[in-house]
Amino acid sequence: MAGHHVSRRAFVAAGTGAVLAPVLAAPARANGRRPFGRYGSPSARLDARTLYVHPGGLGDHTTVQAAVTAATGAGFTLVIGPGVYRETVSVGAVDPATGLPGPVASEMTWIGASGDPRDVVVVYDNANGTPKPDGSGTYGTTGSATTTVRADGFTARSVTFANDWLRADHPDITGTQAVAIKVQGDRSAFHRCRFLGHQDTLYADTTALAVFARQYYRDCYVEGDVDFVFGRATAVFEHCRFHTLDRTDLAGAPYGFVFAPSTAVADPRGYLVTGGRISSSAPDAYYKLARPWVPGSDPTARPMLTVRDTRLDAGVDAVAPYTDMSAAHPWQAQRFAEYRNTGPGAVITVPENRPQLTDAEAGQHTRAAYLGDWCP
C-alpha cells in the first residue's frame, strides 16, 4: 500500500496494475437500457430459474444475498448487473442436524452481466478481529468472509470478490485476517474472476476434514500479502495471476506468503498452479512462495502445492521461496514441488530449497489428474 492513508473504497477502486482499473464509479453501460446485456431481463427472462440483480432496481433484486435467498432450489442463475454490492453473501445454508450444507442453492451460477469483472464487485470489510454488533465476540477468520460458498456445483463468471478491510484503519485490531471469499463446495468453478484483499484473501477449503472438495480457477486474478490463497481444497489454478502487495507497515522481508495450503493427509491432491504468473508491487525477494498451514483442527495435515509452467517475478525470494509456519511442521516434510517455472523468482540457486518434479512425476500433476471425472 502507499505510504499515505488509503480509504477502504479507494483500495478496491485502485488496486494494482492495469488489471485493476477503477470499479467503484458506475460504468457508463450500467445506466443504459440493457444493464444485463445478452442475458435478458426481468421482462425477457431467459428461463424461470434466471434471476436478475441490479443495485438501481432494474432487476428482480437489488442485493446479491436477496437473489440467493429467493433461489429456492437447485440450478439457479444470477445475472448481476454492473455495480458495487457492499454486503456479505452466503450460498448454501447449513443443516443444523448435520453441520453440512443442504441441497438448496446447489448448482448455482453467478454471471457478471458485462463480462468484465471490474464492473461487478461484491465487497465488505469484516476482519477476524472485528467485533460482532451483538457483542458476542469477534467474527474470526471464517466469519470475516465477504462471500461464503458451501453448496456444491457453484460457478462464477466475471465477478470481483473483495474484502477491503485495511490494517491502517484499525490499528487496535490484531486479528487481521480478512477473507474475500471462502469456497467449500465440491465442483466450484471461477472463470475470469478477481479476488481482492490483503491477508487470507481466497480461502479455498472444504466443508469438513473428511470431505475432498474440487475447485477450478481459470484466467483469474488474486492479490494480497499474507497467506492470501489458503485452505485444504483440491484446487487447480490455470492461467491465473497472483499479485503480492507492497507494505509500509513492516521494516523488512518477508512481507508475506502467496500460498498456505492445509491439505488433509488422506487427500492425494492439494493446490496446483499451472500456466500462471506471480507478480509483485513489493521489493525484490520480499515474498515467499508458500508456507505450510497445519491447523490446530487437523494436526495431521500434510500441505500440498505444485507450481508448474508459471512465471515467478522478482518479488519471489528465489533463494528460499518456502518457509515454516510452525517449527513443528517444517516445509521440507510437506508436499511442495515445482516444475519448469520461469522468471527471476524461479532461478534455482540453492537446489535443496527448490524441490523439482521429474518429467514422469509432472504427468501426475495436471488439471485432469486433480479434478478426475469433473470437467468444469
Side-chain angles (χ1 to χ4, degrees), residues 76-94:
F76 272 82
T77 295
L78 272 54
V79 179
I80 307 174
V84 176
Y85 298 85
R86 181 161 287 275
E87 57 178 305
T88 58
V89 185
S90 180
V91 180
V94 173

Side-chain angles (χ1 to χ4, degrees), residues 2-376:
H4 58 277
H5 175 78
V6 181
S7 73
R8 289 189 296 269
R9 290 172 188 262
F11 157 67
V12 176
T16 56
V19 175
L20 299 185
V23 295
L24 294 185
R29 57 180 163 272
N31 299 318
R33 296 183 178 181
R34 298 184 60 201
F36 306 109
R38 61 189 178 90
Y39 297 104
S41 67
S43 61
R45 198 177 304 274
L46 295 186
D47 56 53
R49 290 182 178 268
T50 299
L51 301 176
Y52 297 88
V53 187
H54 189 274
L58 301 180
D60 299 305
H61 305 278
T62 57
T63 68
V64 178
Q65 184 61 67
V68 170
T69 301
T72 55
F76 272 82
T77 295
L78 272 54
V79 179
I80 307 174
V84 176
Y85 298 85
R86 181 161 287 275
E87 57 178 305
T88 58
V89 185
S90 180
V91 180
V94 173
D95 184 338
T98 65
L100 299 175
V104 174
S106 64
E107 315 303 325
M108 177 177 283
T109 298
W110 292 9
I111 299 175
S114 74
D116 187 336
R118 296 172 298 181
D119 293 339
V120 175
V121 182
V122 182
V123 59
Y124 209 72
D125 61 346
N126 284 330
N128 178 335
T130 301
K132 294 181 179 179
D134 62 5
S136 62
T138 59
Y139 282 101
T141 298
T142 290
S144 75
T146 297
T147 302
T148 302
V149 178
R150 301 182 184 90
D152 291 341
F154 179 84
T155 298
R157 299 180 184 275
S158 304
V159 176
T160 292
F161 300 89
N163 188 318
D164 56 359
W165 187 91
L166 289 177
R167 300 180 184 96
D169 289 347
H170 305 278
D172 55 318
I173 292 180
T174 57
T176 57
Q177 298 89 344
V179 178
I181 186 169
K182 181 171 185 177
V183 186
Q184 297 176 281
D186 186 34
R187 295 177 291 102
S188 300
F190 297 83
H191 301 267
R192 287 183 48 79
C193 289
R194 299 190 308 161
F195 306 90
L196 310 183
H198 283 265
Q199 182 170 357
D200 291 9
T201 304
L202 172 54
Y203 197 168
D205 205 51
T206 74
T207 54
L209 177 59
V211 176
F212 299 164
R214 296 163 296 175
Q215 300 174 16
Y216 179 64
Y217 302 81
R218 183 179 176 91
D219 299 321
C220 291
Y221 173 93
V222 193
E223 72 174 22
D225 48 38
V226 178
D227 304 332
F228 63 94
V229 181
F230 73 113
R232 65 174 173 240
T234 294
V236 175
F237 301 90
E238 192 167 40
H239 305 307
C240 293
R241 178 180 167 192
F242 305 87
H243 190 79
T244 62
L245 298 172
D246 198 6
R247 298 181 66 173
T248 57
D249 57 319
L250 296 180
Y255 277 178
F257 321 88
V258 182
F259 303 99
S262 57
T263 322
V265 67
D267 192 343
R269 301 285 184 266
Y271 288 174
L272 171 64
V273 178
T274 178
R277 179 187 174 192
I278 299 175
S279 59
S280 184
S281 295
D284 292 357
Y286 266 51
Y287 272 87
K288 302 294 186 181
L289 183 59
R291 61 178 181 171
W293 177 33
V294 179
S297 59
D298 181 19
T300 67
R302 192 159 177 251
M304 182 177 184
L305 167 70
T306 298
V307 180
R308 61 172 299 170
D309 302 297
T310 290
R311 177 178 172 82
L312 310 183
D313 287 354
V316 174
D317 182 356
V319 175
Y322 306 103
T323 191
D324 302 337
M325 187 177 294
S326 167
H329 305 285
W331 73 264
Q332 294 91 340
Q334 314 310 323
R335 296 176 283 179
F336 286 178
E338 301 176 54
Y339 182 69
R340 294 195 314 193
N341 293 322
T342 60
V347 175
I348 301 174
T349 58
V350 183
E352 58 267 33
N353 289 346
R354 310 295 301 251
Q356 302 290 311
L357 297 175
T358 66
D359 291 345
E361 290 170 337
Q364 300 302 312
H365 294 268
T366 64
R367 176 180 66 180
Y370 275 55
L371 301 184
D373 61 356
W374 175 46
C375 296

